[in-house]
Amino acid sequence: MTTLILAEHQDNHLDEATAKAVTAARRIGGDVHLLIAGKDCRPAAEAAARIEGVAKVLLADDDGLANRLAEPVAALILSLAGGYDVLAAPATSTAKNIMPRVAALLDVMQISDVIAVGEDGQYQRPIYAGNIIQTVASDDPKQVLTIRASAFPAAGQGGSAPIETVALPDSPRLSSFVGNELSESARPELGGARIIVSGGRALGSAENFDNVLAPLADSLGAAIGASRAAVDAGYVSNDLQVGQTGKIVAPDLYIACGISGAIQHLAGMKDSKIIVAINKDPEAPIFQIADYGLVADLFEAIPELKSEIEAKESA
Amino acid sequence: MKILVAVKMVTDPNVKVRALTDGTGPDLASVKMAMNPFDEIAVEEAVRLKEAGLATEIVAVSIGPAKASDTLRTALAMGADRGILIRADQAVEPLAVAKLLRAVADEEAPDLVLTGKQAIDDDSNQTGQMLAALLGWGQATFASRVKLGDGTLEVTREVDGGLQTIGLSLPAVVTADLRLNEPRYASLPNIMKAKKKPIAEKSPADYGVSLEPRLRVIRVEEPPTRQAGIKVGSAAELVQRLHNEAGVL
Ligand SMILES: Cc1cc2nc3c(=O)[nH]c(=O)nc-3n(C[C@H](O)[C@H](O)[C@H](O)COP(=O)(O)OP(=O)(O)OC[C@H]3O[C@@H](n4cnc5c(N)ncnc54)[C@H](O)[C@@H]3O)c2cc1C
Ligand SMILES: Nc1ncnc2c1ncn2[C@@H]1O[C@H](COP(=O)(O)O)[C@@H](O)[C@H]1O
């Protein structure tokens, strides 16, 4: 049994989601190899080689892989698939784009968003916005999986796997890269943050995200998240949406401010260790899953919370 | 230019679906059904392209039970021209859906196929990508903006880091994300008109596609429920409890 993981990386560094997917793959058993596909991505391959439990790193460094477009990366994985029983990737937007293409060309069903790996090739995955957990087993000769990173701890460091280069096979160019508009932020990234401060429609404007919510996040060293309503209204960018169809997070502390708690939002954060809700409506559904609820107007409560935290820290 | 749109009938997004107590599947008795929200966005995009004079015909396809014809009628009322219902009474996996859609695409020769990014029942997020692979076409998933040129397409995609824009040549597959547009409600006159639009009924056998599942569902269950905790009286009490009791500050 050998698993190939398509690593999530930014060419010059490796995302933590990759080490979490390694943990899931090790639970499947057998050898784990990592594939770094990109351009000028040797630094990511070197970081991958240091992850504990990785037996080999495959490095595909090619102009044609520069922006990880689905068609060339899928062609690359297919060219390597013969040597593997399981093809996996953390369930990032990159992998969600690529892996089903691989699965279809191998004529196998993809198992999306794996949250647990059991004995006998059984996998658990959430359906219906996480209200139901399905346990499935595959009858296909190979398995294609995407792994929900927030459900697994990151594998440790200390490995020293060999790095082997592989070539991108020729394939028709079906799409081309035009441009990126990536969000820049000095705050921690949502997926890896220990604390997340999340804002909903009640924030009312982009300015209030900056002037009311952001100072609280900064006093906690937290990442900022948002509900769909806040993203749709243009208060924050799409990459901050937490939920069924946004990012799935499980930090130590999630502070939901002015978020009602729709099932689609809960789907993205209900596995957080501690949930705090600040909402002026005592009946808001978010309180049903919150460990600590504060019924208050957030425009008063958030600045108070910030000064209490700063007072505690300087004490 | 012809557009094919895939529409799935799913449970109403406001309903919290429960598991049957015997663990064999979701309890769908008396749950209201509706068009998958992402597919409404896909239909809306197709209709806007037609209204802009860029598309000439919109064909909506659904794979599902007889009742899925309601979902097709909704697509027709929004502005699709005709429907194809491929009857399947059991759950159909994305791979089989993609194979059926490929067969329809072979027959209909559309220039563009639009699907939703994700069906909110199985949360698979794979059918559109699989279809593009089977057709050997380019794909633009999670689209928040679609710009149609002459035989080309520029699509802005919602990705983890922000937005990415890619170019494709037609034919291609695009999967719709939440911010692509705001779907319209069908007007009463359009609902009436939709009743006269044709829906062809087909079976998977007509396309030579097997629905034999590849995944065996061993069981389904509800996740452990979180208990509501306590209400605190002030920000000061909250900080003190997060520090002393929860140990997260
Ligand atoms: C297909 C689909 C996918 C979706 N995916 C997602 C997803 O991934 N993530 C997501 O979040 N949603 C998603 N949604 C949307 C979801 O159903 C809800 O509409 C959304 O989460 C609501 O956002 P909200 O809580 O910010 O807004 P609202 O529901 O409007 O809640 C605002 C809350 O703020 C409170 N409030 C108002 N003023 C104040 C104040 N001054 N102080 C304190 N509290 C105040 C109110 O009491 C209320 O509870 C999806 C929906 C669909 C159909
Ligand atoms: N049974 C179906 N009938 C029509 N379209 C479907 C069906 N299943 C999936 N789709 C399309 O594929 C998209 C993604 O579904 P999924 O891969 O199941 O998450 C949906 O938004 C639909 O556009």
Side-chain angles (χ1 to χ4, degrees):
Chain A
M1 180 84 98
T2 312
T3 298
L4 180 67
I5 297 177
L6 172 67
E8 180 70 22
H9 66 90
Q10 315 302 323
D11 296 322
N12 58 2
H13 89 102
L14 192 67
D15 288 43
E16 209 190 29
T18 303
K20 295 178 175 180
V22 168
T23 298
R26 291 183 71 188
R27 290 186 188 164
I28 299 170
D31 277 352
V32 178
H33 296 178
L34 283 184
L35 171 62
I36 304 286
K39 176 66 192 152
D40 299 330
C41 50
R42 183 164 279 276
E46 284 166 1
R50 290 192 292 270
I51 297 178
E52 202 180 302
V54 172
K56 195 195 313 187
V57 174
L58 304 182
L59 169 62
D61 194 332
D62 195 296
D63 287 335
L65 296 167
N67 294 286
R68 286 174 275 290
L69 297 173
E71 301 86 0
V73 182
L76 171 67
I77 297 174
L78 278 166
S79 74
L80 304 167
Y84 295 95
D85 308 287
V86 180
L87 301 160
T92 60
S93 60
T94 309
K96 289 193 250 188
N97 189 33
I98 295 166
M99 297 308 279
R101 209 172 162 101
V102 173
L105 294 172
L106 291 170
D107 194 31
V108 312
M109 256 300 285
Q110 170 177 292
I111 305 177
S112 303
D113 264 312
V114 169
I115 55 165
V117 175
E119 299 131 42
D120 318 325
Q122 295 187 359
Y123 300 96
Q124 289 194 331
R125 57 177 303 266
I127 55 175
Y128 291 94
N131 288 308
I132 297 184
I133 306 296
Q134 188 184 49
T135 302
V136 295
S138 166
D139 287 329
D140 285 321
K142 281 188 202 300
Q143 278 144 43
V144 175
L145 317 172
T146 63
I147 289 161
R148 180 170 287 189
S150 65
F152 298 91
Q157 296 283 307
S160 58
I163 299 175
E164 197 176 283
T165 56
V166 293
L168 173 65
D170 280 335
S171 61
R173 231 182 96 153
L174 295 170
S175 63
S176 58
F177 175 75
V178 176
N180 273 335
E181 268 176 73
L182 300 183
S183 305
E184 307 266 333
S185 167
R187 296 198 182 88
E189 198 251 322
L190 266 177
R194 200 181 70 78
I195 303 179
I196 295 173
V197 175
S198 216
R201 191 197 309 272
L203 262 298
S205 67
E207 292 70 40
N208 286 340
F209 259 87
D210 286 345
N211 301 332
V212 180
L213 204 69
L216 173 63
D218 293 339
S219 71
L220 289 163
I224 288 187
S227 71
R228 173 190 175 183
V231 177
D232 282 4
Y235 304 161
V236 289
S237 57
N238 62 284
D239 48 292
L240 298 191
Q241 180 179 315
V242 171
Q244 178 186 18
T245 58
K247 296 218 167 105
I248 311 286
V249 298
D252 287 349
L253 175 60
Y254 187 92
I255 306 181
C257 305
I259 293 179
S260 59
I263 51 177
Q264 292 87 3
H265 189 78
L266 302 189
M269 45 65 80
K270 69 179 161 57
D271 293 326
S272 304
K273 197 167 140 219
I274 297 289
I275 297 173
V276 169
I278 302 174
N279 196 303
K280 69 175 183 190
D281 173 9
E283 303 301 321
I286 189 83
F287 287 125
Q288 290 164 20
I289 62 146
D291 300 284
Y292 299 102
L294 180 58
V295 179
D297 186 318
L298 66 85
F299 294 103
E300 286 164 22
I302 292 178
E304 266 172 43
L305 188 55
K306 177 179 169 284
S307 37
E308 290 294 338
I309 286 160
E310 285 166 352
K312 187 191 89 33
E313 270 162 13
S314 60
Chain B
M1 138 133 182
K2 192 198 266 192
I3 302 178
L4 198 67
V5 193
V7 293
K8 185 180 188 185
M9 179 179 74
V10 299
T11 50
D12 182 293
N14 298 312
V15 176
K16 180 172 170 181
V17 176
R18 314 208 63 124
L20 288 168
T21 46
D22 67 1
T24 54
D27 183 357
L28 300 179
S30 77
V31 175
K32 194 172 147 233
M33 304 301 276
M35 189 192 297
N36 183 41
F38 288 100
D39 304 354
E40 291 179 334
I41 298 170
V43 173
E44 176 67 33
E45 197 62 20
V47 174
R48 289 187 189 185
L49 289 171
K50 190 175 172 197
E51 286 170 347
L54 297 167
T56 47
E57 192 187 18
I58 303 168
V59 182
V61 191
S62 193
I63 294 119
K67 206 171 154 2
S69 62
D70 295 352
T71 302
L72 283 170
R73 288 283 165 215
T74 306
L76 298 176
M78 288 175 74
D81 296 293
R82 59 190 169 87
I84 300 173
L85 172 64
I86 306 176
R87 277 289 301 274
D89 291 316
Q90 73 270 51
V92 186
E93 291 176 346
L95 180 61
V97 171
K99 287 179 181 178
L100 288 166
L101 293 175
R102 172 188 47 186
V104 173
D106 284 345
E107 243 174 50
E108 297 280 345
D111 303 280
L112 177 63
V113 180
L114 286 164
T115 74
K117 134 173 160 177
Q118 173 172 340
I120 59 153
D121 50 1
D122 66 23
D123 283 332
S124 286
N125 191 338
Q126 45 179 302
T127 305
Q129 298 88 312
M130 287 183 151
L131 173 62
L134 296 177
L135 288 166
W137 295 2
Q139 68 186 50
T141 52
F142 325 147
S144 67
R145 192 184 62 107
V146 170
K147 218 171 91 194
L148 200 58
D150 188 16
T152 61
L153 199 60
E154 198 178 276
V155 178
T156 301
R157 311 175 49 234
E158 294 203 352
V159 296
D160 287 347
L163 298 171
Q164 180 191 60
T165 301
I166 61 171
L168 302 105
S169 48
L170 297 177
V173 176
V174 173
T175 80
D177 212 325
L178 294 171
R179 257 73 60 183
L180 183 57
N181 59 51
E182 233 180 275
R184 71 194 65 194
Y185 289 101
S187 67
L188 197 58
N190 284 341
I191 293 172
M192 299 312 288
K193 262 199 266 172
K195 294 195 170 149
K196 297 200 196 72
K197 292 183 179 174
I199 294 181
E201 198 174 306
K202 299 278 192 178
S203 78
D206 294 339
Y207 299 104
V209 172
S210 156
L211 301 189
E212 194 61 39
R214 302 297 187 80
L215 300 181
R216 259 175 299 126
V217 177
I218 312 289
R219 64 175 181 278
V220 305
E221 62 210 318
E222 290 173 16
T225 47
R226 275 187 97 101
Q227 298 302 318
I230 56 161
K231 293 258 168 62
V232 295
S234 67
E237 184 191 345
L238 178 59
V239 170
Q240 180 255 318
R241 285 187 185 268
L242 288 175
H243 180 67
N244 296 339
E245 206 171 77
V248 289
L249 279 189

